Amino acid sequence: MSPVLVNYSTGHGGVAKGRVLSFNDFHGALEPPIGSGGLVNGTPAGGVEYLATHVQRLRAAGEAAGEKVITAGAGDLVGATPLISAAFHDEPSIETLSNLGLQVTSVGNHEFDEGVTELKRLQRGGCHPVDGCQDGDGFAGADFTYLSANVVDKRTRLPILAPVDIRIVQGVPVAFVGMTLEGTPTIVNPAGIQNVEFLDEVQTANSYAQLLRLLGIKSMVLLVHEGGQQNPPPPVQDPSDCANFTGPIAQIVAGLRPEYGLVVSGHTHRFYSCALPNSSGANSVVTSAGSNGTLITDIGFTLDRRTRQFASISARNVIVENGVRLPDGSWARDASGNFIRNPDLVDASTRTIVDKYRTAVAPIANRVVGAVTGDISRAATPAGESALGDVIADAQLAYTASAGAQIALMNPGGIRADFSFAFSPGGEAPGQVTYGEAFTVQPFNNLVVTQTFTGAQLKEVLEQQFVGFGGQTVQRILQPSVGFGYVWDSTRTPGDKVSGMTLNGVPIDPAATYRVTTNDFLANGGDGFTRLTAGTDRVTAPGFDIDALVAHLGSGAPVAPGPRDRIRLPA
């Protein structure tokens, strides 16, 4: 994995040496993730016990080389987390990340899943206002600093948390400015963010850069929860490459002042290390470390002591390996096909924390709730449909039958993991599914609601899957339930992409009414689906979306992967 390297000056005034170790989108991965979420190009990776070990090794190497080492994050460290963290309001994630030496991070959209007040509690400490301190030993809050430069109180216009963190690197100040994407309100529950506003990323970053320059600080790092991705060719991307790069972060970097020599990004769950032009035309180094603690970005830099500016920056992604490599280069597996984890790569102090929560949550997490016939994946067809999306939509349709539901639609961003047939976290038989596994797939505790729409309104909902219609800025393909199908055509104009809608083989009548089930996040306009707020006669089912999935898994015969044939492209 060859690093990206940008040289800015020769450092005639002598150089200070530093290193940033960064990661993003950790999402409470206390245990190694399974399925595709726990692999980096075939290498088993991730889990905080292993992340801690790799961070400590890289930190020790940097310090031995005479460098000042800073450990940083780019948001979504909590939220959308497995049960072992979510059951304790993500206190386990905060504790383990503090323990591994994280020092500063931006907020991400998922930091707002439980609202601003809860985010402040995670930063400052204190027991949960409803559930208390469930582990019995209090909660001191994060040892690291959350930054939220572009999230301001609507009344005071001040950031809700610190906007900037200044670190001294061998006598030279370096400012870390942190923020989340401006579009956060469209992808989180609005109830917890009613009193805050999310500001433009570029304008906010540049305004702080101007202030910091007045203080004599000329080297700046932007920690921002927005990102991009590499694209083929090649078909498999190098984690440290920047092949055919696209995404919103490129436009953000293009507007930044040149003092931001380094941009640590996230949100897209992709890996890359790039050199992208900033507003001056010079390159900034832009990085992302995938998700789930599977990678660490190892960023070396030098600072010109005379000008206080970056002299050079290099970056590479390091895989957080957790497996046992065999002599032939492959990875050891058990009899059921699960990767064997390497005990020599486990950090002992982190394991002590994780084991405490494993023990506490085990009676709930290890309860068998149903079974599957094989792996059920989030991998989508070219039309955007996944086998697991089909299953979840079917589960919500069945769960809301008493409300007259005829169609169910599920947002793909709410599906956080795959079902693995062989994985047996509680020692259950292959194919059996535990509550903990089901919760990892659907961790948001959204309500399940059913509303009435006309056929014409339903078509507008589907049109809003595509950029350019109804204010939609990101393509998101809703996962449909059994009996419902349609065709979409990428070559047609926004608002006219969807055709051939049918329910149980009968064409959808624009004037007829239909009962449609979604989670309440979508029903309230989340993910940009504002057309879903037009529904009438809303009925809210008891419990949460996880209860719908659990009921479906335990309803009879083992659940098979969905057929992925409900959404079609033109022949």
Side-chain angles (χ1 to χ4, degrees):
M1 299 182 188
S2 56
V4 63
L5 172 63
V6 176
N7 289 306
Y8 299 99
S9 73
T10 57
H12 288 306
V15 296
K17 298 191 298 180
R19 186 162 299 273
V20 174
L21 305 176
S22 66
F23 51 90
N24 50 276
D25 297 275
F26 175 69
H27 288 296
L30 272 64
E31 299 177 301
I34 63 169
S36 60
L39 293 172
V40 177
N41 293 350
T43 297
V48 74
E49 297 161 317
Y50 304 92
L51 178 65
T53 294
H54 286 272
V55 166
Q56 289 164 7
R57 289 180 177 180
L58 290 170
R59 183 183 294 134
E63 291 173 347
E67 299 168 341
K68 171 74 172 182
V69 182
I70 300 159
T71 307
D76 276 11
L77 306 185
V78 299
T81 53
L83 190 64
I84 188 174
S85 184
F88 305 96
H89 298 283
D90 284 328
E91 293 173 15
S93 295
I94 298 296
E95 288 184 35
T96 54
L97 294 174
S98 295
N99 185 68
L100 70 71
L102 181 65
Q103 293 165 284
V104 60
T105 182
S106 70
V107 294
N109 54 285
H110 282 290
E111 267 78 17
F112 295 92
D113 281 352
E114 293 192 40
V116 171
T117 301
E118 174 64 1
L119 171 59
K120 290 180 178 179
R121 185 186 75 87
L122 292 179
Q123 174 71 90
R124 299 166 182 169
C127 295
H128 189 271
V130 175
D131 295 326
C133 287
Q134 299 174 81
D135 62 358
D137 60 4
F139 177 62
D143 288 344
F144 53 89
T145 301
Y146 264 119
L147 302 179
S148 63
N150 72 328
V151 188
V152 299
D153 184 285
K154 288 181 178 178
R155 182 179 60 84
T156 66
R157 308 306 298 171
L158 296 174
I160 61 166
L161 294 171
V164 178
D165 186 65
I166 298 172
R167 300 280 165 167
I168 305 300
V169 178
Q170 298 177 354
V172 180
V174 177
F176 288 75
V177 179
M179 61 185 68
T180 186
L181 68 156
E182 183 185 7
T184 292
T186 68
I187 51 177
V188 301
N189 192 314
I193 58 170
Q194 294 177 350
N195 297 321
V196 297
E197 183 177 346
F198 295 80
L199 306 179
D200 180 84
E201 302 97 337
V202 173
Q203 293 177 9
T204 304
N206 287 343
S207 67
Y208 277 100
Q210 291 176 324
L211 291 173
L212 290 163
R213 278 192 64 89
L214 294 176
L215 297 175
I217 299 173
K218 299 177 182 179
S219 295
M220 302 172 198
V221 178
L222 182 64
L223 308 175
V224 57
H225 192 71
E226 180 60 289
Q229 64 181 49
Q230 301 186 63
N231 296 282
V236 177
Q237 283 83 43
D238 184 326
S240 295
D241 207 345
C242 190
N244 304 297
F245 190 80
T246 58
I249 193 64
Q251 286 72 49
I252 291 173
V253 174
L256 293 177
R257 291 176 59 112
E259 289 88 350
Y260 289 105
L262 174 60
V263 178
V264 178
S265 67
H267 188 53
T268 55
H269 291 202
R270 304 302 179 96
F271 47 63
Y272 47 83
S273 59
C274 299
L276 300 178
N278 57 46
S279 65
S280 73
N283 282 331
S284 296
V285 171
V286 184
T287 70
S288 177
S291 63
N292 295 323
T294 56
L295 291 159
I296 301 164
T297 309
D298 182 19
I299 306 163
F301 65 89
T302 58
L303 301 160
D304 187 310
R305 291 184 182 275
R306 180 178 60 83
T307 66
R308 295 188 168 189
Q309 297 174 338
F310 283 114
S312 66
I313 304 175
S314 65
R316 65 181 181 123
N317 277 321
V318 178
I319 299 177
V320 179
E321 296 181 4
N322 61 27
V324 176
R325 191 185 291 272
L326 298 175
D328 65 359
S330 64
W331 297 95
R333 297 175 182 258
D334 63 20
S336 297
N338 299 300
F339 288 108
I340 295 173
R341 309 300 177 181
N342 189 342
D344 295 335
L345 295 176
V346 171
D347 175 68
S349 63
T350 305
R351 166 147 286 184
T352 298
I353 299 171
V354 176
D355 279 348
K356 176 180 71 170
Y357 290 106
R358 281 194 185 106
T359 301
V361 82
I364 301 170
N366 294 338
R367 177 171 61 90
V368 174
V369 297
V372 295
T373 64
D375 293 347
I376 306 181
S377 171
R378 296 165 291 165
T381 65
E385 183 181 357
S386 74
L388 188 49
D390 287 351
V391 167
I392 292 173
D394 290 350
Q396 295 187 3
L397 179 67
Y399 194 67
T400 54
S402 63
Q406 298 166 278
I407 299 166
L409 300 170
M410 175 63 194
N411 56 311
I415 307 171
R416 307 303 297 189
D418 304 331
F419 280 127
S420 167
F421 182 84
F423 187 54
S424 301
E428 70 279 2
Q432 290 187 321
V433 177
T434 65
Y435 183 83
E437 289 176 278
F439 190 91
T440 299
V441 169
Q442 276 199 282
F444 291 108
N445 275 341
N446 288 316
L447 300 173
V448 183
V449 301
T450 305
Q451 304 180 90
T452 297
F453 294 87
T454 66
Q457 288 176 313
L458 179 58
K459 183 177 185 295
E460 288 207 340
V461 168
L462 297 181
E463 294 289 358
Q464 208 168 24
Q465 298 174 117
F466 307 105
V467 175
F469 180 76
Q472 185 60 273
T473 59
V474 178
Q475 179 169 300
R476 297 182 174 96
I477 303 298
L478 298 173
Q479 306 297 291
S481 59
V482 62
F484 181 62
Y486 65 93
V487 176
W488 69 271
D489 187 343
S490 64
T491 67
R492 298 188 68 85
T493 59
D496 189 36
K497 292 183 181 292
V498 174
S499 62
M501 295 190 303
T502 59
L503 179 60
N504 299 321
V506 179
I508 293 291
D509 181 349
T513 58
Y514 300 87
R515 296 288 284 165
V516 180
T517 292
T518 66
N519 58 49
D520 66 327
F521 169 70
L522 282 174
N524 294 332
D527 275 352
F529 285 98
T530 56
R531 294 299 196 271
L532 281 169
T533 64
T536 60
D537 301 320
R538 180 184 290 207
V539 174
T540 301
F544 301 101
D545 52 0
I546 179 63
D547 299 309
L549 180 58
V550 166
H552 188 62
L553 291 167
S555 62
V559 173
R564 304 201 306 173
D565 61 0
R566 300 165 186 175
I567 308 174
R568 304 178 307 282
L569 299 177

mmCIF file of all heavy atoms in Angstrom, residues 111-126:
data_model
loop_
_atom_site.group_PDB
_atom_site.id
_atom_site.type_symbol
_atom_site.label_atom_id
_atom_site.label_comp_id
_atom_site.label_asym_id
_atom_site.label_seq_id
_atom_site.Cartn_x
_atom_site.Cartn_y
_atom_site.Cartn_z
ATOM 1 N N GLU A 111 -23.801 10.611 15.699
ATOM 2 C CA GLU A 111 -23.666 11.145 17.053
ATOM 3 C C GLU A 111 -24.949 11.837 17.502
ATOM 4 O O GLU A 111 -25.147 12.068 18.707
ATOM 5 C CB GLU A 111 -22.486 12.102 17.141
ATOM 6 C CG GLU A 111 -21.179 11.475 17.589
ATOM 7 C CD GLU A 111 -20.458 10.687 16.522
ATOM 8 O OE1 GLU A 111 -20.791 10.868 15.329
ATOM 9 O OE2 GLU A 111 -19.559 9.892 16.852
ATOM 10 N N PHE A 112 -25.821 12.167 16.562
ATOM 11 C CA PHE A 112 -27.079 12.854 16.887
ATOM 12 C C PHE A 112 -28.284 11.912 16.901
ATOM 13 O O PHE A 112 -29.418 12.378 16.984
ATOM 14 C CB PHE A 112 -27.310 13.990 15.889
ATOM 15 C CG PHE A 112 -26.287 15.084 15.981
ATOM 16 C CD1 PHE A 112 -25.148 15.048 15.196
ATOM 17 C CD2 PHE A 112 -26.447 16.130 16.878
ATOM 18 C CE1 PHE A 112 -24.186 16.038 15.287
ATOM 19 C CE2 PHE A 112 -25.491 17.123 16.983
ATOM 20 C CZ PHE A 112 -24.348 17.084 16.186
ATOM 21 N N ASP A 113 -28.051 10.595 16.842
ATOM 22 C CA ASP A 113 -29.166 9.641 16.812
ATOM 23 C C ASP A 113 -30.074 9.776 18.026
ATOM 24 O O ASP A 113 -31.295 9.605 17.927
ATOM 25 C CB ASP A 113 -28.645 8.210 16.718
ATOM 26 C CG ASP A 113 -28.224 7.833 15.307
ATOM 27 O OD1 ASP A 113 -28.476 8.630 14.382
ATOM 28 O OD2 ASP A 113 -27.628 6.758 15.133
ATOM 29 N N GLU A 114 -29.491 10.047 19.188
ATOM 30 C CA GLU A 114 -30.290 10.200 20.408
ATOM 31 C C GLU A 114 -30.389 11.670 20.831
ATOM 32 O O GLU A 114 -30.804 11.961 21.949
ATOM 33 C CB GLU A 114 -29.719 9.349 21.542
ATOM 34 C CG GLU A 114 -29.853 7.849 21.288
ATOM 35 C CD GLU A 114 -29.565 7.014 22.517
ATOM 36 O OE1 GLU A 114 -29.983 7.401 23.626
ATOM 37 O OE2 GLU A 114 -28.914 5.963 22.380
ATOM 38 N N GLY A 115 -30.006 12.570 19.934
ATOM 39 C CA GLY A 115 -30.201 13.986 20.192
ATOM 40 C C GLY A 115 -28.986 14.695 20.756
ATOM 41 O O GLY A 115 -28.004 14.075 21.183
ATOM 42 N N VAL A 116 -29.066 16.013 20.776
ATOM 43 C CA VAL A 116 -27.963 16.865 21.217
ATOM 44 C C VAL A 116 -27.670 16.676 22.698
ATOM 45 O O VAL A 116 -26.510 16.602 23.117
ATOM 46 C CB VAL A 116 -28.288 18.339 20.923
ATOM 47 C CG1 VAL A 116 -27.260 19.267 21.561
ATOM 48 C CG2 VAL A 116 -28.340 18.583 19.414
ATOM 49 N N THR A 117 -28.714 16.578 23.513
ATOM 50 C CA THR A 117 -28.508 16.443 24.960
ATOM 51 C C THR A 117 -27.737 15.174 25.279
ATOM 52 O O THR A 117 -26.816 15.173 26.118
ATOM 53 C CB THR A 117 -29.858 16.445 25.698
ATOM 54 O OG1 THR A 117 -30.536 17.672 25.418
ATOM 55 C CG2 THR A 117 -29.665 16.302 27.192
ATOM 56 N N GLU A 118 -28.068 14.085 24.592
ATOM 57 C CA GLU A 118 -27.360 12.823 24.831
ATOM 58 C C GLU A 118 -25.920 12.900 24.332
ATOM 59 O O GLU A 118 -25.007 12.359 24.980
ATOM 60 C CB GLU A 118 -28.105 11.671 24.163
ATOM 61 C CG GLU A 118 -27.402 10.327 24.220
ATOM 62 C CD GLU A 118 -27.213 9.753 25.615
ATOM 63 O OE1 GLU A 118 -27.652 10.392 26.596
ATOM 64 O OE2 GLU A 118 -26.621 8.670 25.741
ATOM 65 N N LEU A 119 -25.682 13.563 23.214
ATOM 66 C CA LEU A 119 -24.307 13.738 22.742
ATOM 67 C C LEU A 119 -23.475 14.492 23.762
ATOM 68 O O LEU A 119 -22.322 14.119 24.048
ATOM 69 C CB LEU A 119 -24.313 14.476 21.402
ATOM 70 C CG LEU A 119 -22.956 14.941 20.864
ATOM 71 C CD1 LEU A 119 -22.008 13.771 20.683
ATOM 72 C CD2 LEU A 119 -23.134 15.703 19.549
ATOM 73 N N LYS A 120 -24.044 15.535 24.347
ATOM 74 C CA LYS A 120 -23.310 16.279 25.367
ATOM 75 C C LYS A 120 -23.017 15.408 26.585
ATOM 76 O O LYS A 120 -21.961 15.539 27.217
ATOM 77 C CB LYS A 120 -24.099 17.519 25.770
ATOM 78 C CG LYS A 120 -24.162 18.593 24.689
ATOM 79 C CD LYS A 120 -24.961 19.801 25.151
ATOM 80 C CE LYS A 120 -24.981 20.906 24.101
ATOM 81 N NZ LYS A 120 -25.769 22.081 24.541
ATOM 82 N N ARG A 121 -23.935 14.502 26.923
ATOM 83 C CA ARG A 121 -23.678 13.592 28.045
ATOM 84 C C ARG A 121 -22.514 12.659 27.731
ATOM 85 O O ARG A 121 -21.655 12.396 28.602
ATOM 86 C CB ARG A 121 -24.927 12.773 28.364
ATOM 87 C CG ARG A 121 -24.771 11.882 29.607
ATOM 88 C CD ARG A 121 -25.972 10.985 29.816
ATOM 89 N NE ARG A 121 -25.992 9.868 28.867
ATOM 90 C CZ ARG A 121 -25.385 8.705 29.063
ATOM 91 N NH1 ARG A 121 -24.689 8.494 30.166
ATOM 92 N NH2 ARG A 121 -25.465 7.755 28.159
ATOM 93 N N LEU A 122 -22.454 12.159 26.502
ATOM 94 C CA LEU A 122 -21.344 11.288 26.132
ATOM 95 C C LEU A 122 -20.014 12.027 26.235
ATOM 96 O O LEU A 122 -19.000 11.441 26.605
ATOM 97 C CB LEU A 122 -21.539 10.750 24.715
ATOM 98 C CG LEU A 122 -22.704 9.777 24.509
ATOM 99 C CD1 LEU A 122 -22.789 9.352 23.049
ATOM 100 C CD2 LEU A 122 -22.576 8.552 25.409
ATOM 101 N N GLN A 123 -20.009 13.318 25.927
ATOM 102 C CA GLN A 123 -18.787 14.107 26.044
ATOM 103 C C GLN A 123 -18.442 14.387 27.507
ATOM 104 O O GLN A 123 -17.294 14.222 27.925
ATOM 105 C CB GLN A 123 -18.933 15.418 25.277
ATOM 106 C CG GLN A 123 -17.770 16.380 25.442
ATOM 107 C CD GLN A 123 -16.517 15.926 24.738
ATOM 108 O OE1 GLN A 123 -16.290 16.245 23.587
ATOM 109 N NE2 GLN A 123 -15.670 15.163 25.433
ATOM 110 N N ARG A 124 -19.450 14.795 28.283
ATOM 111 C CA ARG A 124 -19.160 15.338 29.616
ATOM 112 C C ARG A 124 -19.352 14.347 30.751
ATOM 113 O O ARG A 124 -18.865 14.572 31.858
ATOM 114 C CB ARG A 124 -20.056 16.557 29.846
ATOM 115 C CG ARG A 124 -19.789 17.660 28.833
ATOM 116 C CD ARG A 124 -20.876 18.722 28.838
ATOM 117 N NE ARG A 124 -20.623 19.757 27.820
ATOM 118 C CZ ARG A 124 -21.483 20.678 27.458
ATOM 119 N NH1 ARG A 124 -22.684 20.731 28.037
ATOM 120 N NH2 ARG A 124 -21.181 21.558 26.521
ATOM 121 N N GLY A 125 -20.087 13.267 30.502
ATOM 122 C CA GLY A 125 -20.288 12.264 31.532
ATOM 123 C C GLY A 125 -21.614 12.410 32.256
ATOM 124 O O GLY A 125 -22.400 13.332 32.006
ATOM 125 N N GLY A 126 -21.867 11.483 33.158
ATOM 126 C CA GLY A 126 -23.110 11.447 33.907
ATOM 127 C C GLY A 126 -23.970 10.271 33.474
ATOM 128 O O GLY A 126 -23.886 9.803 32.339
#
